[in-house]
Amino acid sequence: MVKTGFSSMHVQACLVSSVILNLLFVTYIYLGGQWNLSWSSGAAAEAEAVTSAGHGRVYLVDDENTEPGSECNSAGPDYSHFSTNCIADANSWTSGAAAEAEAIAAVSCSGHGRVYLDGLVDDENTEPVCECNSCYSGPDCSRFLTDCILDANSGDPLFLEPFWKQHAASSAVVVAGWHRMSYKYNNNVYISKELERLIRKLHAVVGNAVTDNSYIIFGAGSTQLLTAAAYALSPENSSSPAAIVASVPYYTLYQQQGEYFNLAKFKFEGGAHKWMNKSDSSTYTIEFVTAPNNPDGRLNKPLLEGPNVKTVYDRAYYWPHYTPITAQADEDLMVFTLSKLTGHAGSRFG
Amino acid sequence: MVKTGFSSMHVQACLVSSVILNLLFVTYIYLGGQWNLSWSSGAAAEAEAVTSAGHGRVYLVDDENTEPGSECNSAGPDYSHFSTNCIADANSWTSGAAAEAEAIAAVSCSGHGRVYLDGLVDDENTEPVCECNSCYSGPDCSRFLTDCILDANSGDPLFLEPFWKQHAASSAVVVAGWHRMSYKYNNNVYISKELERLIRKLHAVVGNAVTDNSYIIFGAGSTQLLTAAAYALSPENSSSPAAIVASVPYYTLYQQQGEYFNLAKFKFEGGAHKWMNKSDSSTYTIEFVTAPNNPDGRLNKPLLEGPNVKTVYDRAYYWPHYTPITAQADEDLMVFTLSKLTGHAGSRFG
């Protein structure tokens, strides 16, 4: 979340273009059918020209449509006619997927694992198999591994899974095969306005952040947004890279990402306290303020200030299930993440 | 797709860590309910410790579960008991979502637009509204805009949408609210082994690529993979950046991304032909070979070779609906993308 008056429009544009909107829905790749399409050759340039036509689109016809009651096979077998853009078996196209999901969800895996629709399948490639929790094994996850070593280095928000199971009906979603195929949303934007509206509503209901006069920017997890923020706040043509700093102890990912990308624009420099007497220097400094802090939970405050200091607030844990919400956060640049709010870490959304 | 014997293990590790696996499912953020959790305070460090426990998890209880027939409310109102990890209303939790999806899909928008489950809602915030195709307007997209300017600069693979509507039942997926919440897949990996298996099977069925002895690496669209490949193939500690080149005419994104990231390791240098007499030079060169080419559809071949030359094959359009498949591609590093195969450009998967 970035304040509208913050820095310059350059920063906004930079941040927006830094992040990639990721909405990947499970797609059943249609391996069984024939790839008989109405135009089976022709170069990529042709494809681009055809697909860019917008309204008057070329429609595909295939001859493997075996779904009962389909009204979509009006095209002749010579592919000389274009089919209409209709839904095959329009009145019950969701029932198979619904039954499949309920059957999968009913597999208990002894309470020590789970089966997913897109999970591993057994040797005969027919049924998904149980994926066991750490320290459990066997086809139904019933075997406890006594010599198992537990990795307590980092967290995984699976503790929120029962909440979603208790709200199974209200959280279920049917994804159609043609869901949001375009690169863009309506009106030529890459950001879902509806999702943005819900995020503002959420912060208002919870009371943990002011979203008025702010831009909402999406990323593939807050991981991506943190680097995007550092990139956007670093000066464009500086002789030396901007220094990224944070209070000790800090989240190790800040350092890992800074070192990994090895950018000309910024460099991770460690503890912010070392820079407290240098804040009047000419070095451009970006302080990551993590509140609550990872790993110690403290509500950190910035150590640095000055004309060459910018502050990025990592608000990942500023939700009522981690810390008392005593006030609405209202900083210029705040980063939140779905993984800590709802537990959907695997969805990569911040 | 990267050959196992290609370059060094460093390249593999680098590529793997360059890309982010994005599986974002639509999540209905539960705004209506109370956020009454079984432990409403406590610091982030506590949360990490609890969540890392793996098997013996802390379960949440809320008191707003109003779904009929729920067996998940065994905990007392004082939150002193932990609920079991059960699915509320286990026998019909998908029916509401199924009915909702069918109702949405039945809205025709005059054949000039579509309604999505996660789409914009009207002023009363009750029903999603039609999102019209370019040059159409009105609540039901029936109004043709006569002064409309058509943007033919780039493509959008909506021409494949009718295929998925014709296979509505077999492509529908019900996503449960607790689907893949963890950061990782089973066995501590970030890559879906099942998806990898299906990708190999797909290339074998289509006959457009050899996948034996290759790694399959996922990215947020081939856009991300192209930059990841350039990053991985650039030397680590070179005095000058590696040169990225491509045959003219080339896909403009190569240039845009190279200039945008402004990395120390590589720089976009334009047409490959200018480097044909320099290929024995000490400058490290990475050639993007686009086959079929964007924008002209030609099956490009590499122009450069030599000990300091690496080649990245952009195979986005090497599918039978764009070009005849005359042979299985078998290069060391090939990039494919879901957007050109199935038309799901918005899903960002390559």
Side-chain angles (χ1 to χ4, degrees), chain A residues 118-246:
Chain A
D118 60 349
L120 294 169
V121 294
D122 62 19
D123 289 343
E124 285 82 37
N125 286 344
T126 51
E127 296 292 327
V129 299
C130 283
E131 302 182 24
C132 302
N133 290 345
S134 303
C135 303
Y136 283 84
S137 179
D140 62 352
C141 302
S142 61
R143 193 156 66 88
F144 180 65
L145 304 174
T146 49
D147 289 339
C148 175
I149 295 169
L150 193 66
D151 176 11
N153 182 51
S154 63
D156 211 351
L158 285 168
F159 72 99
L160 286 161
E161 196 177 66
F163 175 89
W164 296 105
K165 288 193 173 178
Q166 288 165 27
H167 297 87
S170 57
S171 65
V173 180
V174 173
V175 181
W178 60 94
H179 184 81
R180 295 240 177 255
M181 294 178 66
S182 173
Y183 285 101
K184 298 177 185 175
Y185 286 83
N186 212 19
N187 300 325
N188 253 357
V189 294
Y190 290 95
I191 295 267
S192 163
K193 289 290 168 195
E194 177 64 6
L195 183 51
E196 182 182 327
R197 187 182 70 79
L198 287 170
I199 289 170
R200 290 184 196 277
K201 182 177 172 184
L202 171 71
H203 285 300
V205 169
V206 174
N208 66 338
V210 176
T211 64
D212 301 335
N213 302 317
S214 289
Y215 293 99
I216 305 282
I217 294 169
F218 303 158
S222 63
T223 308
Q224 189 181 40
L225 289 172
L226 290 165
T227 297
Y231 187 93
L233 294 174
S234 302
E236 196 66 56
N237 294 309
S238 172
S239 58
S240 60
I244 310 291
V245 298

Side-chain angles (χ1 to χ4, degrees), chain A residues 59-60 84-86, chain B residues 158-167:
Chain A
Y59 290 157
L60 294 177
T84 55
N85 189 7
C86 66
Chain B
L158 285 167
F159 72 99
L160 285 162
E161 197 177 66
F163 175 88
W164 296 105
K165 288 193 173 178
Q166 288 165 27
H167 298 87

